[in-house]
Amino acid sequence: MARPSVRVFHKLEGLFSIYKPPGVHWKLVRDTIETNLLKGINAAPPPAPRQRVQFLAESTSVVAEGSNELTLSAASVPALAHHPLVSGPDFQHIGVGVGHRLDVFSSGVLVLGVGQSNKALTDLYRSHVTRDYTLEGELGMATDNFSHTGRLIERTTYDHITRDKLERVLAMMQGSNQKALLTYSKVDMSTQGAYELAVKGELRPDGKSPPIMTGLRLLHFQPPHFTLEVQCLNETQRYLCRILHEVGLELRSTAVCKGVRRTRDGPFTIQHALTHQHWTSPDVIQAIRQYRSSRKASKAKHTQPGKDTGTASQRQEMAEEAAVTGDSHRLHSVLTSKAFGS
Amino acid sequence: MALTCIQHCQRCTSLLRSRSVGITTLQYSTDAQHWPAALWNSFIVPVLPSLLQRSPNPSQTRQRWNLGVRSYCESHAKVQPSQTKHRNTDELPGTDMVSYQNPVSHQLIDGGMLLKEWQTAFDLDDAPGHSALEEISHEEAVRMDIPAALPPVSISLKDYVNESETLGKLVQLGVQLWKLEQRPNVGSMLLRLDFQTDVTPRLVFLKQLGVEDSRLGYLISHNPFILTESLENLQARVAYLRSKKFSAESVASMVSRAPYLLNFSVKRMDNRLGFYQQQLGLSAQKTRDVVARLPRLLCGSLETVKENLKICKLEMGFRENELQHIVTVIPKVLTANKRKLTQIFDYIHNTMNIPHDLIVKFPQVLNAKYLRIKERHLFLQYLDKAQYDPAKPNYICLDKLVSLPDEAFCTEVASATLKDFELFQKTM
């Protein structure tokens, strides 16, 4: 018979995503969420106080009369050793794990797991999931850490930059990344199987790889500000800021990154990410349920007869496939857009 | 002889088994009348219980109990040395052991045998421990009180709370023992307190001061050392505060909100009150108000307050009278985190372009969370409603920007839905 706090904890064991605001360290976010979840778990009413039996002797006057009869009365006294004020709350610590981390400067989808789901978290991240970012850049400046908070090193002009030139540079970068993907996927390029994988967009790096961008698109261009959408694997936020810097260099100017925002982390999108008002246990339970039901729905869509869908690796493959199908659409749209962007 | 000994032993064991009496007892006496006198000489060494012991190893549980009591001084163990005349062997002379005696066993002892005559005849140093084969009567067995074996050393107060009166009463008051036992030495200190002589006078003192019953638990949970502070000191400090013309209710509220207040000396409190009056340049009444609203100003270090005042004057550029007004409205500014304070001020003054006089009019913005101000300001900017100048139309009051909850902010100030605000938050 589980206590109510244990039942609440079991409901909380799952993966969910939150929206990390910019300027906050991810550890602070994780600690805040752990505190809030503990509040929710320990808020369950405590169990009934336990009693223990103590035998009390009768009053001395009876015995002094000389009778050898000694009656003991049983009294039920509360056992304070199990009182919540003495033993403390049921849960004083829960394991909240973080998926791919976001640095202080960036914002966006951050995946967290509670309890047993931390194992699923490591599985998910070992399988090269794709992440979507929105990068905001500003032309005409160069700093030491590639972002607008760093020390200014250089200022340049940017009047000569047009949308066309920018998109050509982006296409070139995407091409080189695609080549890198082919190299690291370690498939033999001359086989039919490799071609089919490439067409479906299911090529993935085998083992360790450097950061690879599978998709790059210009969303918005108004000099000096511009916005890029990136899909990548194995990246860090600093790498993405460097990409922006390199884009500026390619255009014979300079650029800095003003904002990095993650919009998707594998199967977790920004649509269901919890904002900081909702970092409480009822909202988290809701988010976990939602993620599980969406995974079941996608599994039902993708599962083929004969496959068992029980293991973590299968789940991870499903997650990957869900990610990949999203990618292939975008890749096609980029390739067919003829550098105009959609 | 040997045969009769064995028979006797067997009888003892059968008796013991049938009654299933606990072997480890604190008080015992043998009813030596049952035994034939002829057996005395042969049996005395193995069968004689540890009544005779002055040996360094008495029975295990009794030793444990006594050691436990010596280390942790149970508050309810009543020391009755006058009644132990017949229990000479229990007292180890020259030690400060407190032996536990309960009233029932006293009756028992009076009915038992006097041991003095035994002691002289035998070598006490090699008296063995209490034998399980000893024969005792049914009544004695029923009267035997088996005390709980308290561990002499423990990391938790759980082991002692059932037996200790002090701890039990503290739990009833609502003191969080689980937090206090994590602090070094506090657990042992609480166990050593006697409820009647130590705790009760101080609780009565606090009640007389005006502290509510429901707050007593909070007070002791945060400051257990109030129970060890001497009553004269406590009274002197309260008298000092009253002499500085703090009303009785404000003293009570200060004590209940700053649990460590009465542990500080009069000199220290005087020093701090003088500092605030001098530095802030406020009148006596206003200083009293500020301190009554934030009593921890009298508890903490003055260095942080000095630094915060310097920041407000030099970095932020507030004038003397402006600073006075801010501190009277929001005393928390004096103890706020420097980095957060400067971050908020920087955002409000440089990014939102709010002038000093408007900040002084609404000092609550300095107390708010940076993220909240930033999100709400950017949302209003996105909706083209970020206008904080009272002279122009569509003016947004800073107070409303900061203190309203999200729902009210969205509907009244921004004229948007909460959903829109959340969607906007995800674009930041």
Side-chain angles (χ1 to χ4, degrees), chain A residues 60-61 76 90 133 158 182 231 236 282 286 304 313:
Chain A
T60 54
S61 57
S76 183
D90 285 338
Y133 287 84
Y158 49 85
L182 294 176
Q231 285 146 29
T236 57
Q286 174 82 16
Q304 294 160 31
S313 55

Side-chain angles (χ1 to χ4, degrees), chain A residues 62-122:
Chain A
V62 178
V63 183
E65 279 168 15
S67 67
N68 276 342
E69 291 303 313
L70 179 70
T71 47
L72 295 173
S73 57
S76 183
V77 297
L80 289 175
H82 302 285
H83 194 279
L85 283 176
V86 180
S87 58
D90 285 338
F91 284 84
Q92 295 189 20
H93 168 74
I94 45 173
V96 177
V98 177
H100 193 89
R101 300 187 290 261
L102 280 169
D103 60 5
V104 179
F105 170 67
S106 340
S107 61
V109 174
L110 185 65
V111 181
L112 298 172
V114 177
Q116 296 294 319
S117 333
N118 292 323
K119 298 176 195 165
L121 210 59
T122 44

Side-chain angles (χ1 to χ4, degrees), chain A residues 46 270 289:
Chain A
I270 203 169
R289 270 200 211 124

Side-chain angles (χ1 to χ4, degrees), chain B residues 46-60:
Chain B
V47 176
L48 200 64
S50 49
L51 299 173
L52 298 188
Q53 38 197 307
R54 238 174 251 186
S55 63
N57 43 0
S59 70
Q60 280 307 303

